[in-house]
Amino acid sequence: MSLLGAFFGSKGGITSRERELLRRVNTLESEVSSLTADQFPERTGLLRERYKGGETLDDLLPEAFALTREAAKRTLGQRHFDVQILGGIVLHEGKIAEMKTGEGKTLVATLPVYLNSLSGRGVHVVTVNDYLARRDAVWMGQIYALLGLSVGVINHDTSYRYDVSAKPDKDRERDESGSYKVIYDFLRPAARSEAYSADITYGTNNEYGFDYLRDNIAYLREDVVQREHHFVIVDEVDSILIDEARTPLIISAPVGEAESLYPVFAKIAQSLKRDEDYTVDEKLRAITLTDDGIEKAEKVLGVGNIYTDQGIKYVHHLETAVRAQALFERDKEYVVRGGEVIIVDPFTGRLQPGRRWSDGLHQAIEAKEGVKVKEESRTFATVSFQNYFRLYEKLSGMTGTALTSAEEFAKVYELETVAIPTNKPGARVDRDDLVFQTENGKFTAAVRKIKELHEKGMPVLVGTASIEKSETLATRLGREGIPHEVLNAKNHEREGEIIARAGERGRVTISTNMAGRGVDIKLGGVHAATEEYEAIKNLGGLFVLGTERHEARRIDNQLRGRSGRQGDLGETQFYESLEDPLLRIFGPERIKNMMGRFGIPEDEPIQNRLVTKAIESAQEKIEGFNFDARKHLLEYDDVMNHQRGIIYKMRRTVLMGDQSALEAFLEELLAKSEEREKLTTTILEKRKSFGDGPFFETLRMIALRTTDMFWVEHLEAMEHMRGSVNLRAYGQRDPLVEYKKEGLSLFKDLERSVHMQILHFISSMSDAGGRVDGGERKLKEVHEHATLIVGDRGQSKGVQPQNGEEKVGRNDPCSCGSGKKYKKCGFINDPHHKQP
């Protein structure tokens, strides 16, 4: 990529080289069409042999793409269009392909996926949710099966392999992917490692990222599930690499009971009054306590000065409780289900079970909602999506809305963005926004429009900003007697069914941003006959009505993109109000001051170009603000990423290495120690006493657990240090420079401590029961917590009982003969020691 392209963002077009590759693919179509079914896997084998013989994937591209196109024709009855072949070439080149909705991105991905799988190193495909991972693996799995490839699926609860011998129930209701009810007929539950060992693996960004972290806290080789990070295609790439980039993946485990202070401060926060006891900055999503508010809290707590009498801990609790009260709304930022507070993704509207806000915020919200406050947790592993996906040798992605983020893709990921032409000219009409004075007036006008379209027979998709707003609009439609479906995080289980019918005549579907990603609404529904499809097309197609502008223009464009698929007719329009958060928080003062001055009914739109311009300006301003925030986060995370890479590489060497690798590791530690000679003699004696097998297995366990113990403490130290360096800006010092400098010093201390402690433990080993003389409690604590984390996969992570022996429970007497309960016994060094 050129220097200018990297700086300003690359928005490339189709090159002459790519068009030449398309021509070569097309020339092979007649040849591959004569192949028998048995010859497809044979050709795959031949291509793999050619790759091993020195040919590049670029050399194999024309034939591989031609084979994939023919396989799709025979299995799905779908032939890749020329523009789809071009999209596949762009993805293979490690670029981002912007392809409009309905242009068949799922089918496009099969081309580079097949080609890159020929290397034998595995290909990952990332989807935005578990359902789409299963759907796409089954739908496209038919192509891969004909070509002789295996397919795996990674889901939150379990994992699968595509079953080539499946015989689905043909009488069940189907959708375009084969059937949302028949999908499981094609999937065989499999171990997670088996799903990853497939030629092609489908899964979500969360599952890939968490598996990477789990692999790097594993204590047994068989617990490592991922292979190397070779090639990945990210579907809805802007959602995953940009929208979710500020949310790091964190693996944590409970370290004790939740403090009783959370309910106390929740009651205090509920008694405080906004603008009197605290102020709210909605732009920065921050609160500031007033003197009155602090005095009220001190009175309830019975302290004279909260800052001096109780210290920063009570102040943090108070501020967090007020933030939870003032800035986090139920059915917007989160839902309460089954006695748990579950986060709602602000970009997709989907639930995020298992994720928790940090720094006590999640507990504060639990206390606010009156549900059980969960235990305090401790971070064991963390990584940002930006740095996880930069692990891959080749990264590419596809979306309908990439060009507005081309600069960020170029600067952060060094990815070029290429717009792929549509197969048919677009026929969708995007109408000007209608802006109303009040939210009530906006909804009144929207319901009137929906009723008019419904009576006409036109299908309508209504986009809302939150669960709360979707339910408010649903209530209004119910009063008008308009039948409708609601799709939000509360009933996401029916997503496939609701979307499959959203294009039917007269159907009204209200949805949060869930309907903006990874779905395709077909006019007349997925099973519509040609006559019905044409009838609805003649009515004008699908009408998309947005009830609020999103902070990012891309999200609005995703919603618009549900209409007008593959050249269909369609219309889109946004209804907004001056009370919407976008204008209320980020709009200029002159717009806010216009309220009530137009002299028109609240359900009549304002005809004022200044208002429309203010909306566009607010979105651009927020996008720039968010880009800077993500860039700032990455600059700090890059420091941790460098350190994480060193620790994880060392840890992987110890975990996966054979005896010679462990010997080299031990020699390196001894070489760095100031006590060479004394420790060497002692350790040689221990090796002779234990025997090579037990000695090196003990070394392996000690090295892993010691590293984990210090790494967990280092993560906490870095987090605390990051919070403190920001204050140094007042002293004219750059916080990032300070963070890098002190972070390096802390990391050097970490390495020295790890090396010294490993050698100390090894030299202190006792061959009586395999215990060490010091540090047992800390190491065992880390071991137990890490076991809890690894067990989060829902699979048994302990050593399985062998030779008919029963597994030792945590409360059972330890088999080493100490007389203590297993969980109370000393650090486990003896490889024959039974583990729960």
Side-chain angles (χ1 to χ4, degrees):
M1 182 184 298
S2 69
L3 181 62
L4 288 176
F7 186 78
F8 292 107
S10 180
K11 303 177 183 178
I14 301 300
T15 64
S16 57
R17 174 185 174 276
E18 290 158 350
R19 294 192 182 279
E20 170 59 20
L21 285 171
L22 168 63
R23 186 194 66 77
R24 291 172 60 192
V25 172
N26 287 338
T27 60
L28 292 170
E29 187 166 13
S30 59
E31 177 201 337
V32 297
S33 64
S34 64
L35 295 176
T36 65
D38 292 339
Q39 288 178 305
F40 280 86
E42 292 175 6
R43 292 292 281 268
T44 296
L46 290 173
L47 289 175
R48 281 182 162 163
E49 289 301 317
R50 287 167 58 187
Y51 177 78
K52 290 177 183 177
E55 291 190 56
T56 66
L57 292 179
D58 287 350
D59 297 331
L60 306 179
L61 186 150
E63 187 172 342
F65 276 32
L67 286 167
T68 308
R69 174 190 265 176
E70 183 62 26
K73 283 166 57 179
R74 297 195 188 188
T75 56
L76 305 181
Q78 298 178 346
R79 175 187 177 275
H80 293 80
F81 301 127
D82 282 1
V83 292
Q84 291 177 312
I85 298 291
L86 290 172
I89 294 170
V90 167
L91 291 174
H92 166 66
E93 292 172 336
K95 300 175 183 177
I96 290 175
E98 177 175 283
M99 302 185 69
K100 300 303 179 186
T101 301
E103 292 297 305
K105 294 191 292 293
T106 305
L107 186 63
V108 168
T110 60
L111 299 160
V113 164
Y114 172 64
L115 173 61
N116 283 268
S117 72
L118 297 173
S119 67
R121 299 171 65 196
V123 175
H124 292 172
V125 182
V126 181
T127 64
V128 294
N129 61 51
D130 281 352
Y131 164 75
L132 290 176
R134 296 191 301 269
R135 185 202 74 173
D136 292 355
V138 167
W139 192 6
M140 300 299 113
Q142 300 167 73
I143 298 173
Y144 302 131
L146 179 58
L147 290 164
L149 301 181
S150 56
V151 180
V153 182
I154 301 295
N155 273 185
H156 178 69
D157 296 320
T158 189
S159 46
Y160 308 92
R161 285 286 287 258
Y162 177 82
D163 187 356
V164 294
S165 63
K167 295 180 180 178
D169 184 346
K170 296 184 179 180
D171 295 328
R172 296 196 208 180
E173 188 177 356
R174 296 173 177 275
D175 69 9
E176 60 211 301
S177 66
S179 171
Y180 52 86
K181 293 180 179 176
V182 179
I183 281 176
Y184 287 105
D185 290 350
F186 290 91
L187 297 175
R188 168 179 60 81
R192 219 164 178 88
S193 57
E194 186 184 358
Y196 274 114
S197 68
D199 297 307
I200 302 146
T201 305
Y202 283 82
T204 65
N205 50 316
N206 283 343
E207 294 308 309
Y208 285 121
F210 279 129
D211 281 340
Y212 164 71
L213 293 177
R214 293 182 188 114
D215 280 354
N216 284 285
I217 56 172
Y219 286 162
L220 300 172
R221 293 176 185 175
E222 54 266 34
D223 286 340
V224 176
V225 296
Q226 284 190 346
R227 293 198 280 168
E228 58 189 331
H229 296 86
H230 171 223
F231 175 53
V232 63
I233 294 180
V234 182
D235 193 9
E236 307 300 350
V237 65
D238 52 339
S239 173
I240 292 171
L241 296 191
I242 292 181
D243 294 341
E244 297 199 40
R246 290 173 64 184
T247 307
L249 292 171
I250 298 173
I251 285 186
S252 60
V255 293
E257 293 296 320
E259 289 194 69
S260 59
L261 292 175
Y262 287 109
V264 172
F265 281 95
K267 288 182 180 178
I268 293 174
Q270 289 163 7
S271 70
L272 301 182
K273 297 178 181 178
R274 181 169 176 158
D275 298 328
E276 181 180 315
D277 299 319
Y278 62 88
T279 58
V280 178
D281 186 329
E282 292 187 276
K283 284 185 181 179
L284 299 177
R285 290 189 63 78
I287 59 97
T288 302
L289 290 160
T290 65
D291 290 341
D292 288 345
I294 293 170
E295 287 177 11
K296 286 183 181 178
E298 289 171 340
K299 188 175 180 180
V300 173
L301 293 168
V303 299
N305 187 325
I306 192 173
Y307 289 92
T308 59
D309 294 359
Q310 298 296 338
I312 198 67
K313 180 178 180 179
Y314 270 42
V315 176
H316 176 72
H317 267 290
L318 178 58
E319 291 179 344
T320 303
V322 175
R323 279 189 70 216
Q325 180 70 27
L327 295 173
F328 290 80
E329 296 180 36
R330 184 170 178 166
D331 290 342
K332 185 178 180 183
E333 281 83 12
Y334 64 92
V335 299
V336 178
R337 175 177 288 184
E340 290 190 19
V341 171
I342 303 175
I343 298 174
V344 175
D345 188 311
F347 297 99
T348 66
R350 292 187 168 89
L351 295 183
Q352 297 183 302
R355 279 196 175 184
R356 292 177 64 82
W357 285 297
S358 59
D359 296 327
L361 176 60
H362 211 100
Q363 284 92 342
I365 294 174
E366 288 170 331
K368 166 190 168 183
E369 293 294 341
V371 302
K372 181 183 178 183
V373 179
K374 291 194 174 179
E375 306 98 327
E376 302 280 357
S377 60
R378 192 178 192 189
T379 298
F380 283 80
T382 179
V383 70
S384 68
F385 281 124
Q386 291 138 310
N387 276 318
Y388 172 72
F389 282 106
R390 293 199 297 188
L391 290 171
Y392 286 89
E393 293 177 27
K394 185 163 65 174
L395 165 65
S396 64
M398 48 192 181
T399 180
T401 50
L403 291 180
T404 54
S405 302
E407 179 185 358
E408 186 162 353
F409 283 128
K411 287 184 175 180
V412 175
Y413 301 100
E414 297 184 353
L415 290 174
E416 182 179 342
T417 302
V418 179
I420 307 298
T422 57
N423 187 51
K424 296 179 182 177
R428 188 185 73 215
V429 177
D430 296 330
R431 302 204 177 278
D432 291 338
D433 295 4
L434 297 181
V435 184
F436 301 83
Q437 295 185 78
T438 66
E439 183 176 77
N440 182 62
K442 173 185 72 175
F443 279 128
T444 300
V447 169
R448 188 167 59 230
K449 180 67 173 179
I450 293 166
K451 186 173 184 179
E452 171 195 325
L453 295 167
H454 170 68
E455 292 174 348
K456 179 183 174 182
M458 217 171 164
V460 184
L461 174 66
V462 187
T464 59
S466 66
I467 298 170
E468 178 191 16
K469 299 298 186 205
S470 69
E471 293 176 343
T472 298
L473 185 58
T475 301
R476 286 181 175 242
L477 290 179
R479 289 184 194 141
E480 294 293 321
I482 302 172
H484 58 275
E485 286 272 17
V486 179
L487 174 60
N488 60 35
K490 288 186 175 180
N491 67 341
H492 65 96
E493 297 87 356
R494 295 183 58 234
E495 180 178 357
E497 177 186 352
I498 292 172
I499 291 300
R501 303 189 63 187
E504 293 178 359
R505 184 189 297 265
R507 184 165 287 270
V508 176
T509 306
I510 304 170
S511 177
T512 57
N513 291 330
M514 291 178 72
R517 293 283 184 184
V519 295
D520 204 2
I521 298 175
K522 184 179 178 183
L523 298 185
V526 294
H527 308 299
T530 303
E531 297 79 11
E532 180 66 4
Y533 166 80
E534 290 296 335
I536 295 177
K537 185 176 178 180
N538 291 335
L539 287 171
L542 176 69
F543 193 104
V544 170
L545 193 155
T547 59
E548 196 172 312
R549 284 281 193 172
H550 196 275
E551 291 181 358
R553 289 170 293 173
R554 290 180 293 100
I555 308 300
D556 294 338
N557 291 337
Q558 283 285 343
L559 180 61
R560 286 193 193 275
R562 300 304 103 196
S563 178
R565 63 187 288 279
Q566 296 185 9
D568 283 344
L569 291 176
E571 290 183 47
T572 70
Q573 192 164 35
F574 278 88
Y575 282 45
E576 300 141 56
S577 83
L578 297 182
E579 293 179 340
D580 290 348
L582 187 69
L583 279 177
R584 181 173 55 79
I585 300 172
F586 296 96
E589 287 299 320
R590 63 180 181 275
I591 296 297
K592 300 173 188 176
N593 295 333
M594 287 182 177
M595 286 290 291
R597 294 185 181 180
F598 293 96
I600 57 175
E602 66 173 1
D603 61 343
E604 291 294 323
I606 304 165
Q607 303 295 331
N608 192 308
R609 176 61 186 163
L610 185 62
V611 176
T612 306
K613 188 69 177 174
I615 293 169
E616 296 170 356
S617 176
Q619 286 182 306
E620 291 175 2
K621 187 189 303 180
I622 299 169
E623 286 172 0
F625 176 80
N626 289 337
F627 179 17
D628 290 340
R630 288 188 293 266
K631 185 170 176 287
H632 184 69
L633 173 74
L634 184 62
E635 288 173 337
Y636 279 88
D637 193 58
D638 279 343
V639 178
M640 281 303 305
N641 194 54
H642 174 69
Q643 298 177 3
R644 181 169 45 238
I646 294 172
I647 290 295
Y648 283 2
K649 182 180 179 182
M650 184 268 282
R651 203 183 185 286
R652 181 62 64 97
T653 299
V654 171
L655 177 64
M656 308 301 287
D658 56 14
Q659 181 173 317
S660 61
L662 290 172
E663 280 184 303
F665 170 72
L666 182 58
E667 286 175 7
E668 184 182 352
L669 295 187
L670 288 168
K672 293 177 180 177
S673 172
E674 295 178 358
E675 305 176 73
R676 278 191 78 167
E677 294 180 10
K678 177 183 176 183
L679 286 172
T680 300
T681 303
T682 303
I683 289 172
L684 284 174
E685 291 174 356
K686 296 291 182 185
R687 179 176 176 179
K688 183 178 180 181
S689 172
F690 272 68
D692 278 0
F695 175 83
F696 283 109
E697 285 307 308
T698 302
L699 170 62
R700 193 193 310 275
M701 286 297 105
I702 285 179
L704 292 174
R705 290 169 183 164
T706 303
T707 301
D708 289 350
M709 177 179 72
F710 283 101
W711 179 243
V712 168
E713 293 177 351
H714 180 72
L715 289 176
E716 291 179 349
M718 291 291 287
E719 185 63 28
H720 292 151
M721 192 257 290
R722 179 173 174 179
S724 66
V725 294
N726 290 327
L727 299 174
R728 301 183 193 181
Y730 294 107
Q732 305 300 311
R733 287 185 288 177
D734 186 335
L736 179 60
V737 172
E738 295 290 302
Y739 181 75
K740 289 179 177 178
K741 182 173 68 176
E742 293 202 16
L744 178 61
S745 176
L746 284 174
F747 187 68
K748 293 297 182 185
D749 289 343
L750 163 74
E751 289 186 303
R752 281 192 294 270
S753 298
V754 169
H755 296 163
M756 181 179 69
Q757 198 73 289
I758 292 172
L759 291 174
H760 169 71
F761 283 148
I762 287 292
S763 61
S764 303
M765 285 192 306
S766 165
D767 56 6
R771 300 189 203 152
V772 295
D773 298 330
E776 307 98 322
R777 186 185 59 78
K778 266 197 167 185
L779 283 168
K780 189 171 77 68
E781 177 187 340
V782 172
H783 163 63
E784 288 184 350
H785 286 309
T787 300
L788 289 173
I789 298 167
V790 177
D792 190 50
R793 281 198 184 115
Q795 301 171 358
S796 176
K797 290 296 157 191
V799 175
Q800 295 302 306
Q802 297 178 1
N803 302 324
E805 296 176 331
E806 292 184 0
K807 188 170 67 173
V808 181
R810 282 168 43 78
N811 290 307
D812 293 338
C814 187
S815 61
C816 70
S818 66
K820 297 180 181 179
K821 290 183 178 180
Y822 183 91
K823 66 182 181 182
K824 296 286 187 182
C825 196
F827 174 56
I828 306 159
N829 288 315
D830 186 347
H832 302 295
H833 194 298
K834 295 181 181 178
Q835 302 184 37

